[in-house]
Amino acid sequence: MKYASVFYTLLALFVLSVTPRFVHAQKIDSMINVYGERFPQEKVHIHFDKALYNPGETIWFKAYLFSGLLPSGLSHNFYTELIDPATGKVLQRKITPIFEASTAGSFDLPVTTTNTSLIFKAYTTWMLNFDTAFVYSKNIRIVGKNAVADKAPADNKTTITFFPEGGDMIAELSNPVAFKATDKFGAPVGVKGVVKDAKGKEVASFTSLHDGMGKFELEPAPNTTYYAEWKDEKGKSYKTDLPASRPNGALLQMIGSEKLQSFIIKRSANAGPELKKLYLVGNMYQQVVYKATINLTNNFMTSGTIPIAELPSGILEMTLFDSNWQPLAERIVFLNKEDYIFDATISPAVKNTNKRGKNTITIEVPDTLRSNLSISITDAAMADKGEDNIISRLLLTGDLKGRVFEPSYYFNVVDDSTRYYLDLVMLTNGWRRFKWQDLAAGKLPVLKYQRDNFLSLRGEVLGVANSQIPPGSTLNMFMEAKDSSRQLFSLPLDARAQFKEEGLIFFDTVKLYYQFNKDKRLTERAVVNFNNGTLRNPGTLPLDSAWRIPVPLDTSALNRSKFIAAEAERIRPEIDKRIKTLEAVTVKAKQKSTKDLMDEKYARGLFAGGDATSFDMVNDPFAQSAQNIFQYLQGRVAGLQINMNGPNGPTLTWRQSNTSIFLDEMPVDAQTIQNIPVTDIAYVKAFRPPFFGASGGGAGGAIAIYTRKGNDQKANNAAIPGGMEKNLLAGYASLKEFYSPDYSKENDLFEVADVRTTLYWSPYILTDKSARRTTITFYNNDVTRRIKVILEGMNEEGRLTRVEKLIE
């Protein structure tokens, strides 16, 4: 784990080596490290299938979660919401499980929607414990057939904000001052102007260099105010006051290059004793990486160099404290080592942009590490332009407050110019993960939400006094899914008549049948309230000014999307008619295999389909002669090693990792399975590594064992025992499969025009040392001539990739 673990090892050695330089930093730096260890921050990137949507389409997404330098293992439940930006109403909400620091899902847009935009919000409950300004939010553009081009509002005036480096201007010291000019919606505007003192004397001039940003030097005189007279790119004149200067203090200035990061510290000549001994602390990824004592007793200025050779890419925060450990100045810089990329390639094997042309591409990751990728293939006009991609989001904008315009620009080509422009971003955007007063006081965050553990079966017994519930009572319960599969639970009641079972994964809505074990009459008298342990739907959220920022559209994208929307509306009645006809007529289709039918009957969620070897135990005459299921599986699954003589029963390994075992999709140990008669087993699936349905990502694959049910099960086991009450409980959002037509086959629906703009979407492409290459086949629609392929992802070491390919 060169990228992450080596950093943390060197970090510990480096901090220890400089600690003797001062002794009063113990509380501040130890608290920073406590925050990093006990309260690590999460951030998220979302890969969408495309940038624009029409009414009636599906928004497909894949989420990647990071904490520090690595994929996050903090959370297991992921919340996504579609919000009406005009009212704050949550229109749709999904909860999906997180596996291997990622999850995926979809939202279906109503055909009748009139929204021109929706807010996509994504978070974990752990994120809500901290500054919610870092919660993921994106404006999704919806384009109908009658959409009109965006018009700049009449009151779209330009504003400029000045940012003295370090936080404050200090009188009689030369202060670098950065600025950023934007319009009403946060888009950059070019400006130029001059700075004047209160008497109207010109003391400095400035011109924006990149995206409305720039900087200049100013040495304020004591007790003097300053203002700027400037013009925007349209020639409109403005006047803006500069921040007031402080009569005395200290400045922190950072100067960086590709291999070096230096600082300059200056204090006022009339400074008191608290400014003659200063402390400089640097932190990165919630860990202290630099500490120094600054002695300015005999000098008003000093400089130094920060060793960055062993530091990774990311935001480094430098804070200057006085002798009493009160913060004086703060500066963030970005270290870009270009050490965050892993290679992936997209190679078109067959290219065909003709009507319904067949295309084949190959994805290859030469690295041997496990990687987790997602791919979108769309009409190029609708494709994500990549303004904020997985690299810029997880390294930059996920840690900054405020809007950064086209952040991916700073990572596409890294040279002296982009490094300088990126430093302007650092000077003009907010970043503060810590409140120094709280750290100095040893104050820790109060957690409103603890770390989750997938879904729960939890609740309480109401309607009867606790004294009426016999001590040691348990709630015996069956959970029945829509496919009639069942799981049995025995839930002990505590002194408050409450119960809880965590770590569950189930989808859609399940039925709960329950009764009390010691006094079955309680089943009729008591009321049992169940919940799945997830956060309740907020219903309506406070309006956010950022929601009103429009998504800019170029004319070609707008016209293309309007055309597709009109065509989709035109052919929709014909599609509905043909679907109804197909439903009404019995069509002789290809007979499904017995294993396909068994998979439909037993497997669900992440256990359905997948890269697995399946065994139909009901129709296999050799199964009945096996002593147990492990003996049956020996030698039948390539790569799976089964040792029947382990110290605690059978052991299973695959690719040198322990293999997870599931009984009716609930995790169990090998001893439990060993005692189940083979005659009670209906279906077995051996999932090749990795299997994301297992805890820890299933590096050793998984064995899913299903007991008989329905027509395969004994009659006396099929019915729910009498006297049990029934309740309903919601699980994770149902999984939707992306539809990709196969035009090599016949289908009555294929006679209708094809105007799909998302031609292919796969949220999970998994590679490792034994499977480095994946081949994808897809068909073009009837109207697209330029196809955009976008691949994003991360590997187990925390490195990232984004690859784009244009097929035309």
Side-chain angles (χ1 to χ4, degrees), residues 724-768:
M724 301 191 81
E725 289 292 315
K726 185 176 78 170
N727 211 323
L728 297 177
L729 186 65
Y732 289 120
S734 298
L735 301 177
K736 180 178 179 179
E737 184 178 357
F738 180 81
Y739 169 70
S740 183
D742 182 355
Y743 285 126
S744 66
K745 302 176 182 179
E746 292 186 2
N747 189 315
D748 192 41
L749 289 175
F750 294 168
E751 297 179 14
V752 182
D754 182 353
V755 292
R756 296 169 299 121
T757 53
T758 298
L759 304 176
Y760 188 86
W761 165 258
S762 178
Y764 281 105
I765 297 175
L766 310 175
T767 67
D768 58 22

Side-chain angles (χ1 to χ4, degrees), residues 1 6 55 140 267 289 325 343 353 357 454 484 492 510 575 638 754 790 798:
M1 302 271 294
V6 171
I140 302 290
R267 66 162 175 82
V289 298
W325 285 95
D343 292 329
T353 59
F454 296 106
S484 299
V510 295
I575 293 176
D754 182 353
I790 297 176

Side-chain angles (χ1 to χ4, degrees), residues 272-326:
E274 75 280 0
L275 296 180
K276 294 182 179 180
K277 183 179 182 180
L278 307 177
Y279 303 112
L280 184 62
V281 177
N283 75 84
M284 196 174 194
Y285 296 110
Q286 295 181 276
Q287 297 289 327
V288 175
V289 298
Y290 182 81
K291 298 187 297 186
T293 299
I294 310 297
N295 189 341
L296 293 180
T297 303
N298 300 318
N299 299 293
F300 83 97
M301 182 176 73
T302 190
S303 62
T305 300
I306 301 171
I308 63 172
E310 303 299 339
L311 297 181
S313 296
I315 293 177
L316 168 66
E317 179 191 28
M318 303 299 299
T319 306
L320 185 66
F321 298 88
D322 68 13
S323 60
N324 299 315
W325 285 95
Q326 295 301 308

Side-chain angles (χ1 to χ4, degrees), residues 352-387:
N352 189 342
T353 59
N354 294 327
K355 179 179 179 180
R356 305 191 183 189
K358 182 179 179 179
N359 292 265
T360 301
I361 62 173
T362 299
I363 298 165
E364 186 171 4
V365 179
D367 204 337
T368 60
L369 296 173
R370 290 186 295 127
S371 67
N372 181 353
L373 309 167
S374 51
I375 189 169
S376 62
I377 304 177
T378 64
D379 184 299
M382 308 296 181
D384 170 29
K385 301 300 186 294
E387 291 92 345

Side-chain angles (χ1 to χ4, degrees), residues 5-298:
S5 61
V6 171
F7 161 63
Y8 288 120
T9 301
L10 292 171
L11 167 62
L13 295 174
F14 175 69
V15 172
L16 288 173
S17 69
V18 300
T19 298
R21 296 170 68 181
F22 57 94
V23 296
H24 299 292
Q26 296 303 312
K27 179 163 285 188
I28 290 289
D29 62 41
S30 64
M31 286 299 294
I32 291 175
N33 292 333
V34 166
Y35 270 58
E37 293 166 6
R38 294 177 54 185
F39 308 100
Q41 307 285 296
E42 280 185 314
K43 50 190 171 182
V44 61
H45 167 69
I46 306 291
H47 179 189
F48 294 95
D49 61 312
K50 57 185 178 181
L52 303 175
Y53 297 90
N54 300 133
E57 288 192 317
T58 298
I59 299 173
W60 301 94
F61 67 89
K62 165 78 171 287
Y64 296 90
L65 289 94
F66 256 59
S67 179
L69 287 165
L70 295 171
S72 175
L74 297 173
S75 300
H76 294 97
N77 295 330
F78 194 69
Y79 298 79
T80 50
E81 297 164 350
L82 284 186
I83 303 166
D84 185 338
T87 64
K89 182 179 180 181
V90 178
L91 303 176
Q92 295 187 54
R93 187 173 192 251
K94 298 285 182 72
I95 306 175
T96 52
I98 298 171
F99 299 109
E100 288 288 284
S102 64
T103 188
S106 62
F107 285 101
D108 293 330
L109 296 175
V111 174
T112 56
T113 185
T114 57
N115 287 85
T116 57
S117 67
L118 293 171
I119 303 302
F120 184 101
K121 184 179 178 183
Y123 57 92
T124 66
T125 52
W126 183 256
M127 293 179 186
L128 301 183
N129 286 314
F130 310 103
D131 192 339
T132 55
F134 296 100
V135 167
Y136 184 92
S137 179
K138 181 180 175 65
N139 195 324
I140 302 290
R141 188 64 183 265
I142 314 298
V143 179
K145 66 175 184 178
N146 297 319
V148 295
D150 296 323
K151 294 182 180 179
D155 63 342
N156 191 18
K157 63 183 295 186
T158 302
T159 59
I160 192 169
T161 307
F162 295 96
F163 302 87
E165 184 169 6
D168 295 299
M169 289 197 297
I170 308 298
E172 299 184 296
L173 293 178
S174 180
N175 295 253
V177 180
F179 63 88
K180 179 165 68 173
T182 61
D183 65 11
K184 179 180 179 180
F185 302 109
V189 179
V191 296
K192 64 184 304 183
V194 297
V195 177
K196 296 182 178 181
D197 62 17
K199 296 180 180 180
K201 179 183 177 181
E202 183 178 319
V203 295
S205 62
F206 59 88
T207 302
S208 58
L209 299 176
H210 175 72
D211 283 348
M213 299 179 294
K215 69 177 180 178
F216 57 90
E217 294 278 337
L218 178 64
E219 185 173 329
N223 303 314
T224 301
T225 59
Y226 296 87
Y227 64 91
E229 290 182 345
W230 53 281
K231 292 183 179 181
D232 64 15
E233 56 195 27
K234 295 181 180 179
K236 189 173 181 179
S237 298
Y238 299 86
K239 180 180 178 180
T240 304
D241 292 334
L242 266 67
S245 62
R246 296 173 57 186
N248 58 71
L251 295 180
L252 171 63
Q253 184 178 354
M254 301 297 297
I255 302 171
S257 63
E258 180 180 356
K259 298 181 180 179
L260 194 65
Q261 189 64 234
S262 303
F263 62 84
I264 298 174
I265 295 174
K266 296 179 281 188
R267 66 162 175 82
S268 300
N270 60 346
E274 75 280 0
L275 296 180
K276 294 182 179 180
K277 183 179 182 180
L278 307 177
Y279 303 112
L280 184 62
V281 177
N283 75 84
M284 196 174 194
Y285 296 110
Q286 295 181 276
Q287 297 289 327
V288 175
V289 298
Y290 182 81
K291 298 187 297 186
T293 299
I294 310 297
N295 189 341
L296 293 180
T297 303
N298 300 318

